[in-house]
Amino acid sequence: MNEPRPAARRRGRRPAGEDTRSALLAAARVEFAERGFEGATVRRIADRAGVDAAMVNHWFGGKERLFTASLDLPMDPEAIFAEVLPGDPEQLGARIIAMFLQVWDATGGGPLAALIRSVAGHEEAARMMREFVSRVILGRFIGEVAPDRPELRAALCATQIIGLGMIRYVLRLEPLASADHETVVATIAPNLQRYLTGEIG
């Protein structure tokens, strides 16, 4: 007697009443938390969600955007790169700070503040934050301009980006919390630029 064949995984969109996008987000949060950005694959995420891998591109446009969406941050990495990377490499630090301020201030820093708070007590959130900052965002910038020591430079850049987010949106330490963008860029960007392209010892 033949064994019954396992049910084939459903392809494409789920039937009415099932939220494919939400299922992918839930699966992605688990996979990214367990395996990191590099270790998690589109196919594994889709399998966990019970849908075809093509649905990742359909709903999110790829793994990087799915990762960003799983963190619930109001930013699109590809849009940031397209706007910030072109131009003088020696002014990249200023453009990065200006872009992050624009994105964060558009939501009052709420999603960022929530993520930073969660990092303090949850290793999974901390790992996802590290992956997002070092690989998805800063890794791309550093790959374009850094002359050497990319991992150290990414970590140093993260101190400026995450530190700014913590002070401005979580602790709300004045006068930085209410400083205008021009002031913040002028005071923080030079150090970020040194971490990107300058001598770091």
Side-chain angles (χ1 to χ4, degrees):
M1 182 175 180
N2 293 331
E3 293 291 330
R5 298 180 63 186
R9 178 164 50 85
R10 289 173 297 192
R11 301 178 64 85
R13 298 191 182 192
R14 290 184 166 192
E18 296 187 75
D19 190 341
T20 299
R21 187 176 188 277
S22 294
L24 283 168
L25 282 172
R29 290 186 181 106
V30 174
E31 288 292 321
F32 287 131
E34 291 180 353
R35 304 174 187 279
F37 179 77
E38 293 297 332
T41 66
V42 167
R43 182 170 298 280
R44 190 183 294 273
I45 291 168
D47 284 345
R48 182 181 286 270
V51 300
D52 190 272
M55 289 293 98
V56 172
N57 283 330
H58 173 78
W59 286 105
F60 299 99
K63 187 167 81 165
E64 284 190 358
R65 290 181 177 177
L66 174 57
F67 185 66
T68 304
S70 73
L71 292 173
D72 195 26
L73 292 178
M75 60 180 67
D76 178 352
E78 289 303 322
I80 291 175
F81 301 142
E83 182 167 340
V84 174
L85 276 175
D88 183 359
E90 293 304 316
Q91 294 298 316
L92 179 59
R95 296 195 299 274
I96 290 174
I97 296 295
M99 169 59 76
F100 273 89
L101 288 171
Q102 176 184 328
V103 170
W104 290 339
D105 280 3
T107 61
L112 173 74
L115 181 60
I116 290 176
R117 289 190 187 99
S118 71
V119 163
H122 299 86
E123 175 55 31
E124 290 181 358
R127 177 174 181 173
M128 292 180 74
M129 184 68 158
R130 288 195 300 269
E131 295 273 356
F132 176 72
V133 171
S134 65
R135 295 183 183 275
V136 179
I137 296 295
L138 294 178
R140 174 80 171 269
F141 290 133
I142 288 168
E144 295 285 337
V145 301
D148 56 19
R149 307 175 77 178
E151 292 184 356
L152 176 59
R153 289 179 184 275
L156 291 171
C157 288
T159 67
Q160 300 298 292
I161 301 296
I162 298 176
L164 173 59
M166 172 70 79
I167 296 299
R168 185 173 173 92
Y169 303 103
V170 179
L171 298 181
R172 298 186 180 276
L173 184 63
E174 296 292 357
L176 187 58
S178 58
D180 59 68
H181 289 193
E182 291 76 14
T183 299
V184 177
V185 171
T187 53
I188 295 179
N191 207 36
L192 180 62
Q193 188 66 48
R194 182 169 72 86
Y195 293 154
L196 287 167
T197 59
E199 295 289 335
I200 56 172

